[in-house]
Amino acid sequence: MHHASLSRKIFVIFNYIFLVSLSLLCLLPLIQVLSISFSSSPAASAGLVKLFPVDFSLDSYQYILQKKEFINSFSITLKRVAIGYTVNILLALLCAYPLSKEVKEFRARTYYAWFFVFTILFGGGLIPTYIIVSETGLLDTIWALIIPGAVGVFNIILLLNFFRGLPKEIEESAFIDGAGHWTVLTKMYVPMSMPVIATISLFTLVGHWNAWFDGLIYMNFPDKYPLSTYLQLMVINSNPMKMDINNLNGTLEISERTTRAAQIFLGALPILIVYPFLQKYFVKGIVVGSVKG
């Protein structure tokens, strides 16, 4: 018994060491980016910044907040997240509720379920998808970033399995009292499903916020790029600032490296703020929404 207890303690210690090390590997790059963004241009250009700012400066942030390209792409992403989240969650709920019923209640349930699963296994590919988006007139509109991925099959699977685990007696008593399916869904199922809804909300918010490729292929003009597309092009561009003659005074206080770091951090900040509030539901939502045997 003593040997088993000692082995357990050793395992827990090494487990903590491993998890702390893994956490540091994830945090340290972000901390360095933050430090570079708060450092002066000469210190950042000389590579002197490690984990703490050198010659603390807010010049890069002041420049970014006056940069219309960044502000415009930020506003487009906020609009995308607001509309896309609403559409994704609403469609997931409306699809998961009927699919959670037994075959005797919804005879076509199995066919619809396999129809959704089929889309996970097989897809038309980039070119057919682009042609559909183009021919339906969605190019250069916010809907090109929302409609192609409006129905999240993974989210539907999590929701319908959670719905199937809810007590049937609650639903039956509501029907006896005269409630309809819409009332049961909105007044009973949704309030009882907050853990799994919070989980798919996190997936949806992060997915829309970080998506960059669809903005690159569906938007023909840079002023329509969402934030992640703008940041991706800025990072791979050899000289993203490309200052004109009116901005030459700013080159003395800011640099390409500090500007990049500041924009990357500002782009990640909203998700860093939202995640802690939803994280407590994450594991629970995944477990309760998983496929049951």
Side-chain angles (χ1 to χ4, degrees):
M1 182 66 70
H2 177 71
H3 176 71
S5 177
L6 180 61
S7 300
R8 174 66 180 173
K9 290 181 179 179
I10 294 175
F11 170 77
V12 171
I13 291 173
F14 276 97
N15 199 27
Y16 273 110
I17 293 174
F18 172 75
L19 292 176
V20 169
S21 301
L22 189 62
S23 300
L24 289 176
L25 287 175
C26 297
L27 286 175
L28 289 179
L30 183 61
I31 293 174
Q32 187 184 35
V33 169
L34 180 61
S35 298
I36 291 174
S37 70
F38 282 122
S39 299
S40 65
S41 173
S45 300
L48 301 178
V49 184
K50 303 303 179 184
L51 295 180
F52 299 98
V54 177
D55 298 332
F56 185 85
S57 173
L58 294 174
D59 292 331
S60 293
Y61 288 95
Q62 292 175 351
Y63 170 74
I64 291 168
L65 295 178
Q66 297 173 353
K67 195 173 183 182
K68 63 178 182 179
E69 294 89 350
F70 179 83
I71 300 300
N72 182 61
S73 62
F74 197 94
S75 64
I76 291 174
T77 294
L78 288 178
K79 183 179 178 182
R80 172 187 183 161
V81 169
I83 300 175
Y85 172 79
T86 303
V87 171
N88 286 140
I89 298 300
L90 182 61
L91 291 181
L93 288 170
L94 294 178
C95 290
Y97 178 74
L99 292 178
S100 67
K101 304 304 178 186
E102 301 294 336
V103 176
K104 61 182 180 180
E105 299 175 84
F106 181 30
R107 293 186 178 181
R109 173 193 176 277
T110 303
Y111 299 103
Y112 280 103
W114 277 109
F115 177 81
F116 283 115
V117 172
F118 183 85
T119 63
I120 298 179
L121 304 176
F122 304 97
L126 177 60
I127 295 177
T129 304
Y130 180 85
I131 292 175
I132 291 174
V133 172
S134 176
E135 293 299 318
T136 51
L138 298 180
L139 289 182
D140 294 319
T141 69
I142 191 71
W143 298 107
L145 308 177
I146 296 172
I147 292 179
V151 180
V153 180
F154 180 73
N155 296 340
I156 293 174
I157 293 174
L158 287 180
L159 271 174
L160 76 87
N161 280 286
F162 185 87
F163 287 167
R164 296 184 73 180
L166 296 177
K168 291 294 182 182
E169 295 77 11
I170 299 177
E171 180 181 347
E172 292 171 357
S173 63
F175 286 143
I176 293 174
D177 292 336
H181 286 291
W182 183 255
T183 302
V184 171
L185 174 61
T186 57
K187 299 296 179 63
M188 305 183 75
Y189 273 42
V190 170
M192 291 189 295
S193 306
M194 290 313 298
V196 70
I197 291 176
T199 301
I200 67 173
S201 294
L202 181 62
F203 287 152
T204 304
L205 291 173
V206 174
H208 277 297
W209 191 268
N210 290 337
W212 64 272
F213 187 65
D214 52 359
L216 185 63
I217 62 176
Y218 296 142
M219 300 299 163
N220 295 317
F221 304 98
D223 60 348
K224 295 184 180 294
Y225 284 163
L227 181 61
S228 293
T229 305
Y230 168 77
L231 292 177
Q232 194 269 348
L233 292 177
M234 180 201 67
V235 169
I236 65 173
N237 196 330
S238 60
N239 186 17
M241 294 171 66
K242 295 192 181 298
M243 296 196 180
D244 57 30
I245 192 67
N246 297 322
N247 289 327
L248 286 179
N249 292 333
T251 60
L252 299 177
E253 291 82 19
I254 60 176
S255 69
E256 174 185 329
R257 196 173 184 200
T258 58
T259 306
R260 281 182 177 179
Q263 291 182 94
I264 291 172
F265 180 75
L266 287 178
L269 185 60
I271 293 299
L272 294 176
I273 294 174
V274 170
Y275 185 82
F277 296 99
L278 298 178
Q279 190 271 341
K280 62 180 180 180
Y281 297 107
F282 186 77
V283 175
K284 183 179 180 182
I286 288 291
V287 172
V288 298
S290 61
V291 178
K292 298 178 176 63

